[in-house]
Amino acid sequence: MPGTARADDGEAPGSGRADHRGAPGAARAERLTGSPADRAREALRAARREALRAEAEAAARGEQTAEPGRRRGPRATGSPAPAPRVTPAPGPGSPTARVKAAQDMRQYLANAFRMPACSDTPEEEPHPVATGAATDGTDTTDGTGTTGGTDSTGTTDSTGATDTAEPPPVTETATVGSPHVPSTMASPHRDSELRRTFPAFPPRAAGAEDAPFAATWWGNAWTAALERGALDAKRVARGRGYADQGHVDAITVTPGLVLAYVRGSRPRPYRVQMRVRTLEGEDWARFLDAAADRPGDIAALLDKELPQSLADCGVPLLPGPGDLAPRCSCPDSGHPCKHAAALCYQTARLLDTDPFVLLLLRGRGENDLLDALSRRSAARAARAAQERQPRSLPGVRAADALAPRQLPPLPPPPAPPPHPEQPPVYPAAPGGPDPFALDQLATDAAGRAHALLTTGADPVGELTLWQDAVRLAAARPGSGLTAATRTLYATLATAVGRTPADLARAVAAWRQGGSAGLAVLEEAWDPPAGRFDRARPLLLAADLPAFRPWRNHLTHPRGHVQLRLGRDGLWYAYESEPGRDDWWPRGTPDLDPVGALTGLGTPDDT
C-alpha cells in the first residue's frame, strides 16, 4: 500500500515512511564515504525510495483529477462535452520514467556486489544495517502508519510488533539475484595464542530438546547465565532451536569476545558477538596460586576438565546473570536476540570439549597459562626444598677442634629394674603361631635381657641347641604332659632331632639341677678317690644296703634307686622300675648321699 514501509522479519519497531523522505545531508555523506559495496547499497535504497515516491505522487494526482468531476455532478443539457484528455508521451523527468529507471537500476545491481571474502570480513564492526525500507520482508503497519519489527514465532514481543513465521535459511544455491554466501565466514589461518577458531558444530540429534544443552557442569553454568539474564525467554528458546539445527558457523574466540555468523531468514548471515569481562592481574595471581596448591586440579585441566575447586577459588571464571553482553548485526533490539542466544548455546558446547576456551575468554591463552603454572609450581617446590634443608651449624676452627681437652666423665647408668616386665598378650590368629608360645619366648627374652643388664653376662648364650631346647621346655609352667605341653615337646624334640620322651627326661634333670643336672643325666665319668669312696660307709651307717658302684653311680641292690655324683660335688637321686634300668631324676641334689635319698623313702626300705 502506498505510504507504508517494508520491514524485515527482524527489523526494530519505529522505522516507518518518514525514513524514506531522505536522511540529512551529513548522515548521507557519511554513508557514502564507506566501501564500494556500502555506496552501491545506498544507491539501491535511494532508487527504491524514488520509485515509491513516484508511485505515490501518480496515484495522488489521479485521485485529485477524478474528485472535481464527481463533486460537480452531471453537466447541463446543451453544454458542450469536454475535449478528451490527451496523455503526453513520457519524458525523461516523468514518474513513469523514474519508475522504469529504478527497476533497471535494481535489476543491474541485484548481483553486482557479492558478499566479501572471509579474509575481507572485519573483526569488530558489524555490517551496516539499513534503517529505511527493506526489500524482503512483510508489511506490518498499525493505524498510525508506524511499521513494527517482526519476529519468527507469530507472537507479540515486548515492542508491540507481531511475530510471523520465519522462513527457513537460504542456502548457497539461491536464485538469481540473491547475494553469494560462502561456506564459512571464519578465518582459521589468522589464529594465534590469543585467537582460536573452532569449526561449526553439526546439528543435534532429534529428541534432545528437553535434555540439558551442555554435557558438563561448567557448560550448563554458561547457559544458565544466559537464561537468567535474558529479558525474553521466547527469544532464548528460538536461539536454542537455531543452535540445535546447526545455524551457527565457525566460532572465533579471543580474550573477552566470542564471534560467529548465524544464519537467519535472510540469505546473508548475521554477525554476532558475545562479550565478557577479562580478569585483572590480581585475579590471575589468585587463580594461579589456587591451581599451584592443588596439582590434581592442573592434571584435571590437562584432561579437559574444570575442577569445581578452581571455579570456587574466589576468581569469577564463569559468568553470572548479566555478565554476557551480546551484539548482533540484525535489527532486533531484544536482549539477547535469537542469533546471540544461538551463539551462546554453541559456546557452551565448545566449553564442554575444552575448558581452556573459558580461560582464553578471561584473557589468558592455554600455553601462556600452563607456562605460568609451571614456573609457579617450580618456585614453590624450590622454596619448600630450601625450607626442608637443615640450618648450617656454627663453624669451629680446626685448631680448636684438635686441641687436647679433658672430657667430662660419663654419667652413671640408670638403675636396672628390679625384675623383668610382663610382655603383652598376643592374640590368636587362624593358622598363626601359638600365642602362649609367643608369650613364653617373649618372657624368656625379657629375663635374659634383665640378667645381662644386672650381671653383665648371659648364661644362656653358651648353651648348645639341645641344652637351650631343654631349658625352654623346662621353663614351661605347670606339671604333667598336657596337650599344650605335648605339642611344645614335640616341636622342640623335632627341632633338635630327639624324641619327646628324651626331652621329658632331660627337662626333669634340668629342673633338678640346671645344666649340671643335665650333664649328670647324660654323662658318666670316673670320679677321683675320696668323696665317692666315703659315700658307701655313710650309706651303711644309715642302715641301707650296700650300693653297687659303677663309675660315678651307686645303685641299690634292688635296682630301683640310684645315686649319681656330679662334677659340682653334689649327689643326684634317680628312680626306676626294678629291673628296667629306666632312670628318672628325683629329689633335690645334696652334698650328703643320705640327704639326697631322704625324700625318696629309701631309709625305711630293707
Side-chain angles (χ1 to χ4, degrees), residues 450-515:
H450 185 266
L452 183 62
L453 181 63
T454 54
T455 63
D458 182 14
V460 182
E462 299 178 356
L463 298 179
T464 63
L465 182 62
W466 164 246
Q467 292 173 339
D468 192 46
V470 173
R471 182 188 67 83
L472 289 176
R476 179 74 178 242
S479 60
L481 291 178
T482 62
T485 304
R486 287 193 184 93
T487 303
L488 176 64
Y489 281 16
T491 303
L492 292 175
T494 303
V496 296
R498 300 289 184 94
T499 63
D502 294 339
L503 182 60
R505 195 191 313 272
V507 167
W510 188 278
R511 289 177 177 174
Q512 184 185 40
S515 59

Side-chain angles (χ1 to χ4, degrees), residues 42 148 188 194 449 526 568 577 580 601:
E42 184 62 27
L194 296 179
D526 295 324
D568 56 355
E577 293 292 334
R580 297 187 57 181

Side-chain angles (χ1 to χ4, degrees), residues 128-504:
V129 179
T131 59
T135 60
D136 50 348
T138 58
D139 297 337
T140 56
T141 307
D142 55 13
T144 60
T146 304
T147 305
T150 59
D151 213 329
S152 61
T153 60
T155 59
T156 303
D157 56 14
S158 58
T159 60
T162 303
D163 298 339
T164 58
E166 184 171 355
V170 180
T171 60
E172 278 190 281
T173 60
T175 59
V176 177
S178 299
H180 173 70
V181 180
S183 59
T184 180
M185 302 290 290
S187 303
H189 61 279
R190 300 173 58 186
D191 284 0
S192 62
E193 172 68 14
L194 296 179
R195 186 185 190 276
R196 298 179 63 185
T197 301
F198 301 91
F201 286 98
R204 299 182 71 195
E209 293 79 6
D210 298 333
F213 193 88
T216 59
W217 70 267
W218 58 89
N220 287 320
W222 177 275
T223 58
L226 166 73
E227 294 167 355
R228 290 199 300 267
L231 301 180
D232 188 356
K234 296 179 181 179
R235 283 188 172 87
V236 174
R238 291 193 294 272
R240 175 166 177 165
Y242 272 21
D244 288 336
Q245 298 167 14
H247 287 192
V248 181
D249 197 4
I251 301 175
T252 300
V253 181
T254 58
L257 176 66
V258 182
L259 172 67
Y261 285 86
V262 180
R263 296 191 304 274
S265 60
R266 292 183 176 181
R268 180 165 183 159
Y270 295 106
R271 179 186 175 90
V272 185
Q273 298 177 2
M274 187 68 67
R275 295 185 179 273
V276 66
R277 185 181 67 85
T278 57
L279 298 180
E280 302 294 338
E282 297 180 357
D283 295 333
W284 280 116
R286 190 159 58 251
F287 173 81
L288 293 175
D289 289 337
D293 288 339
R294 294 182 286 269
D297 292 349
I298 303 177
L301 274 178
L302 293 176
D303 290 339
K304 305 303 181 182
E305 295 182 4
L306 181 62
Q308 186 74 43
S309 56
L310 282 184
D312 299 337
C313 67
V315 179
L317 286 181
L318 293 168
D323 291 347
L324 300 176
R327 183 180 179 185
C328 182
S329 62
C330 76
D332 189 0
S333 60
H335 182 83
C337 67
K338 52 184 174 292
H339 313 104
L343 173 59
C344 189
Y345 277 111
Q346 292 296 64
T347 305
R349 295 178 66 183
L350 187 60
L351 296 179
D352 285 344
T353 59
D354 191 356
F356 279 101
V357 174
L358 179 61
L359 301 176
L360 176 58
L361 276 172
R362 291 301 188 178
R364 298 288 289 267
E366 179 177 355
N367 294 332
D368 180 27
L369 189 64
L370 293 178
D371 291 344
L373 283 174
S374 300
R375 291 192 298 269
R376 195 169 295 252
S377 299
R380 292 196 172 203
R383 287 197 300 269
Q386 186 176 4
E387 292 174 358
R388 287 194 300 268
Q389 291 179 355
R391 296 182 179 179
S392 59
L393 299 177
V396 179
R397 294 178 60 86
D400 298 338
L402 297 177
R405 61 184 182 276
Q406 187 68 28
L407 297 178
L410 295 176
H419 55 79
E421 298 294 334
Q422 188 70 19
V425 178
Y426 298 94
D434 183 11
F436 191 79
L438 288 178
D439 179 79
Q440 182 179 357
L441 290 176
T443 303
D444 179 72
R448 291 177 59 187
H450 185 266
L452 183 62
L453 181 63
T454 54
T455 63
D458 182 14
V460 182
E462 299 178 356
L463 298 179
T464 63
L465 182 62
W466 164 246
Q467 292 173 339
D468 192 46
V470 173
R471 182 188 67 83
L472 289 176
R476 179 74 178 242
S479 60
L481 291 178
T482 62
T485 304
R486 287 193 184 93
T487 303
L488 176 64
Y489 281 16
T491 303
L492 292 175
T494 303
V496 296
R498 300 289 184 94
T499 63
D502 294 339
L503 182 60

